[in-house]
């Protein structure tokens, strides 16, 4: 029977059943079995529809009539009897308190009582897509005048979109309600908000949420290759960073996604990033309603395979389902432990692996359709699953040799086969990815002061020349002092002409000086790292909250006076000028270091550049004094002669 014929048959059954209800409603004495006998070709369908109507009619009657505690308990018992103990929507995340009456059915009552079918506020606009246990429909909210997405729970037979909604088993309904409540409690910009959970007039359980308009991550990866709308690897990495942040929040609330893949990541027109489809999510500490192990391929007695069927089955997107019937599609982004069926070990690090696999796909998107699947290759989903179980995908060094080594290191750590060597959580992965985007040190690749210094130089090239000049001057002065000490040591060695014991002592002295030099050089590198910490971006001093000259004055004061240690504020101790002088005095006082004698002091004074200038000034002063001395002597002689003449005239002999 074709799909069209089946659809016409279901519509005819629905029309006949509606006609029966209408006649009975008008008071006509008509038995249901009599009606079925009149339409024997549709009798079985009519009976199935009647059973479904009676089931939901009871629920609707109870919902409409329940007002006090006795009716609530009656409804709880009715729902428990009809849906079973698997219907347990009482999910509470992050340690939030539950209601006192948190039984499965009573919680469902509290959630759905206000949504009993009294006329729908939503107008259906068309189906968006379908999943393993639900369909997403675009609807118009008549009250708030906005377009929303509505997800409705489906029976297994409804997955193909045929006829009336078949019965929904209790386990499926329980998982659907858990998905709605889990998603509704994850209040994060990267997770689509849930607006309402309710019952439709047709008896379907639904929840509404924001309608996301955009493209999934796989389409974004294709844009990176083509450069469409300015998409680049860096821009796509910023999307992945938002995914990490959303998942880090979900993990902090005890929720594991377990189905992260590009199809479940949506990117909006204005840069919004959403992690979608939490249908396979698990809440830590609660009984797992999902068996996420992959179901084995069904055995078949058919020995003939048509070419069309082989082509359909040999694709990486051919559907794979879990043991409890949920469609998960390709396993290319599954962690090894999930692919192997080790469901008890699945946790936050399984989601870390999935994010790493998406990053892997991004870097190798020119070569791969997805991890384990080369471009244009015909590989079945079952083959991909077996490849995941057997070992890691092809190395990025071979697939994308031009990729940054730091980013490759991040991906390799996230996709480690062993959970112990992966990132400990999503926050650690986000931290490394953020460091890569900001040009800082990536812990998965390298660490330490030297790595920090190199990254600072790369981010602050305009300031590098000035810093290198400053370091060069300091290093020259320090080397000059060390060279002077070494020269004095060599001179003493020549004067003393000591034996082997003295030569060993000199070797020990040289080692000590070399260690001191290395220690100081490391200190300078640390100063570069601190300088880097204050200039984190390429615009350098423009980002400081003070003028450039004030910053230099503050830095000079810090170098002269040092910095006191404050562990509570995370401030490290830095030596000042007094500390350096004290250290030099300590070094000069060591037995293996020659004393600084008066002769050494005189020699250093004589060789000082300012000393030469002083001598020149003294010579100029002496020349000036000699030049003035002769006129002064002549003037004194003339004065003496005049005085003698005056004496003769005033006091004649």
């Amino acid at each position: 029977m074709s799909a069209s014929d089946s659809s016409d048959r279901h519509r005819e059954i629905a029309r006949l059943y509606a006609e029966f209800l209408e006649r009975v409603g008008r008071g006509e004495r008509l038995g249901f079995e009599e009606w079925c006998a009149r339409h024997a070709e549709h009798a079985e369908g009519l009976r199935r529809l009647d059973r479904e109507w009676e089931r939901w009619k009871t629920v609707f009657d109870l919902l409409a009539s329940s007002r006090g505690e006795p009716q609530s308990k009656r409804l709880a018992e009715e729902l428990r009897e009809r849906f079973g103990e698997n219907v347990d929507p009482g999910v509470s995340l992050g340690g939030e308190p539950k209601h006192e009456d948190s039984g499965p059915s009573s919680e469902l009552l509290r959630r759905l009582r206000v949504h009993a079918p009294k006329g729908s506020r939503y107008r259906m606009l068309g189906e968006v897509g379908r999943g393993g246990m639900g369909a997403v429909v675009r609807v118009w909210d008549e009250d708030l005048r906005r377009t929303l997405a509505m997800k409705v729970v489906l029976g297994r037979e409804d997955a193909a979109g045929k006829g009336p909604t078949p019965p929904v088993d209790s386990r499926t309904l329980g998982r659907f309600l858990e998905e709605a409540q889990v998603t509704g409690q994850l209040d994060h910009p990267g997770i689509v908000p849930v607006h309402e959970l309710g019952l439709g007039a047709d008896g379907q359980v639904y929840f509404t949420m924001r309608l996301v308009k955009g493209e999934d991550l796989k389409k974004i990866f294709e844009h990176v290759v083509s450069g469409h709308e300015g998409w680049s690897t860096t821009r796509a990495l910023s999307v992945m960073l938002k995914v990490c942040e959303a998942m880090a929040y979900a993990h902090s609330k005890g929720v594991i996604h377990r189905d992260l893949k590009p199809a479940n990541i949506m990117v909006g027109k204005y840069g919004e990033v959403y992690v979608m489809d939490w249908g396979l999510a698990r809440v830590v500490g609660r009984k797992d309603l999902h068996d996420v192990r992959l179901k084995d391929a069904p055995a078949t007695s058919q020995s003939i395979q048509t070419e069309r069927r082989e082509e359909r089955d040999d694709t990486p997107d051919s559907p794979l389902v879990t043991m409890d019937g949920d469609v998960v599609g390709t396993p290319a982004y599954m962690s090894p432990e999930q692919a192997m069926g080790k469901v008890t070990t699945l946790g936050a690090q399984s989601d870390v692996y999935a994010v790493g696999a998406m990053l892997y796909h991004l870097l190798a998107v020119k070569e791969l359709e997805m991890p384990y699947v080369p471009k244009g290759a015909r590989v079945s989903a079952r083959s991909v699953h077996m490849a995941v179980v057997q070992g890691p995908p092809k190395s990025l060094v071979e697939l994308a040799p031009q990729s940054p080594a730091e980013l490759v290191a991040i991906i390799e750590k996230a996709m480690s086969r062993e959970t112990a060597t992966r990132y400990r959580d999503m926050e650690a992965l986000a931290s490394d990815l953020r460091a890569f985007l900001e040009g800082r040190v990536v812990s998965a690749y390298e660490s330490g002061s030297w790595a920090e210094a190199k990254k600072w130089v790369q981010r602050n090239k305009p300031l590098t020349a000035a810093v290198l000049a400053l370091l060069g001057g300091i290093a020259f002065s320090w080397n000059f002092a060390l060279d002077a000490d070494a020269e004095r040591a060599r001179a003493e060695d020549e004067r003393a002409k000591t034996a082997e014991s003295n030569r060993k002592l000199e070797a020990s002295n040289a080692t000590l000086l070399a260690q001191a030099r290395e220690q100081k050089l490391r200190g300078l590198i640390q100063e570069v790292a601190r300088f880097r910490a204050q200039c984190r971006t390429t615009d350098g001093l423009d980002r400081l909250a003070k003028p450039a000259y004030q910053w230099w004055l503050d830095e000079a004061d810090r170098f002269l006076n040092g910095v006191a240690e404050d562990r509570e504020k995370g401030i490290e101790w830095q030596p000042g000028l007094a500390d350096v002088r004290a250290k030099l005095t300590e070094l000069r006082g060591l037995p293996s270091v020659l004393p600084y004698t008066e002769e050494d002091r005189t020699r250093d004074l004589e060789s000082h550049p300012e000393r030469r200038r002083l001598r020149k000034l003294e010579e100029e002063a002496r020349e000036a004094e000699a030049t003035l001395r002769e006129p002064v002597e002549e003037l004194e002689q003339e004065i003496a002669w005049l005085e003698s003449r005056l004496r003769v005239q005033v006091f004649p002999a």
Side-chain angles (χ1 to χ4, degrees), residues 3 17 61 65 84 93 102 129 134 149 210-211 214 263 278 339 362 365 379 405 418 450 453 482 533 616:
Y17 190 75
D61 292 341
S65 62
L93 305 181
S102 58
R210 176 183 297 170
L211 179 64
W278 295 80
L362 170 61
V365 67
V379 182
E418 301 296 331
W450 179 242
L482 292 177
K616 185 177 180 181

Side-chain angles (χ1 to χ4, degrees), residues 41 75 77 94 192 198 223 248 283 321 469 478 491 589:
E41 68 275 20
L75 177 60
E77 294 171 359
V192 178
H223 292 340
V283 181
V321 296
W478 181 249

Side-chain angles (χ1 to χ4, degrees), residues 93 181-188 191-193 249-250 253 255 278:
L93 305 181
Q181 289 197 333
V182 167
T183 310
Q185 293 179 62
L186 293 177
D187 186 13
H188 187 274
I191 300 173
V192 178
Y249 168 79
K253 305 290 282 185
V255 179
W278 295 80

Side-chain angles (χ1 to χ4, degrees), residues 246-265:
M247 289 309 306
Y249 168 79
H251 291 169
S252 72
K253 305 290 282 185
V255 179
I256 314 301
H257 192 283
R258 300 195 296 189
D259 194 21
L260 289 175
K261 54 188 176 183
N264 287 340
I265 308 298

Side-chain angles (χ1 to χ4, degrees), residues 11-265:
R11 278 196 293 269
E12 179 62 17
I13 292 172
R15 186 191 67 78
L16 290 173
Y17 190 75
E19 182 180 348
F20 168 75
L21 293 179
E22 184 179 359
R23 289 189 177 189
V24 172
R26 290 200 301 263
E28 185 175 343
R29 303 183 67 178
L30 179 63
F32 180 71
E33 289 301 325
E34 178 187 351
W35 185 254
C36 290
R38 291 184 187 179
H39 306 280
E41 68 275 20
H42 300 304
E44 184 59 32
L46 288 169
R47 291 188 180 96
R48 185 171 61 250
L49 189 57
D50 184 69
R51 287 194 300 270
E52 188 66 10
W53 167 251
E54 289 298 326
R55 173 184 178 185
W56 286 107
K57 183 175 181 295
T58 303
V59 176
F60 297 157
D61 292 341
L62 287 170
L63 285 171
S65 62
S66 59
R67 288 295 181 269
E69 188 63 24
Q71 288 90 350
S72 298
K73 291 182 178 179
R74 218 178 86 207
L75 177 60
E77 294 171 359
E78 181 71 20
L79 291 174
R80 186 179 295 108
E81 178 183 347
R82 292 185 175 275
F83 294 121
E85 294 298 331
N86 289 318
V87 180
D88 184 4
V91 181
S92 183
L93 305 181
E96 298 171 4
K98 293 186 177 182
H99 300 287
E100 292 181 3
D101 184 10
S102 58
S105 303
S106 57
E107 179 65 18
L108 179 62
L109 168 64
R110 281 192 290 270
R111 293 289 182 181
L112 304 184
R113 180 185 299 159
V114 296
H115 302 303
K118 301 175 182 177
S120 178
R121 61 186 281 187
Y122 303 111
R123 178 161 51 90
M124 303 298 174
L125 300 179
E127 186 173 306
V128 177
R130 290 188 176 228
M133 63 179 177
V136 179
V137 183
R138 194 161 62 98
V139 299
W140 173 255
D141 185 343
E142 295 286 0
D143 292 348
L144 295 178
R145 315 300 294 171
R146 60 180 180 178
T147 305
L148 299 174
M150 174 187 288
K151 188 167 185 177
V152 295
V153 64
L154 298 176
R156 290 303 180 192
E157 297 176 13
D158 201 45
K162 300 177 181 178
T165 303
V168 179
D169 62 275
S170 59
R171 182 176 292 275
T172 300
L173 181 60
R175 290 200 304 266
F176 184 85
L177 293 172
E178 182 176 76
E179 177 188 358
Q181 289 197 333
V182 167
T183 310
Q185 293 179 62
L186 293 177
D187 186 13
H188 187 274
I191 300 173
V192 178
V194 171
H195 299 313
E196 179 188 25
L197 172 64
L199 280 169
D202 57 356
Q204 287 181 318
V205 181
Y206 69 87
F207 63 87
T208 59
M209 52 190 171
R210 176 183 297 170
L211 179 64
V212 178
K213 299 178 181 179
E215 298 174 312
D216 65 24
L217 197 58
K218 185 177 181 180
K219 194 67 176 179
I220 296 302
F221 288 173
E222 295 174 0
H223 292 340
V224 170
V225 176
S226 63
H228 179 67
E229 294 185 350
W231 278 101
S232 64
T233 300
T234 300
R235 186 177 173 189
L237 287 174
S238 66
V239 171
M240 295 304 302
L241 179 58
K242 291 182 179 180
V243 173
C244 291
E245 292 170 348
M247 289 309 306
Y249 168 79
H251 291 169
S252 72
K253 305 290 282 185
V255 179
I256 314 301
H257 192 283
R258 300 195 296 189
D259 194 21
L260 289 175
K261 54 188 176 183
N264 287 340
I265 308 298

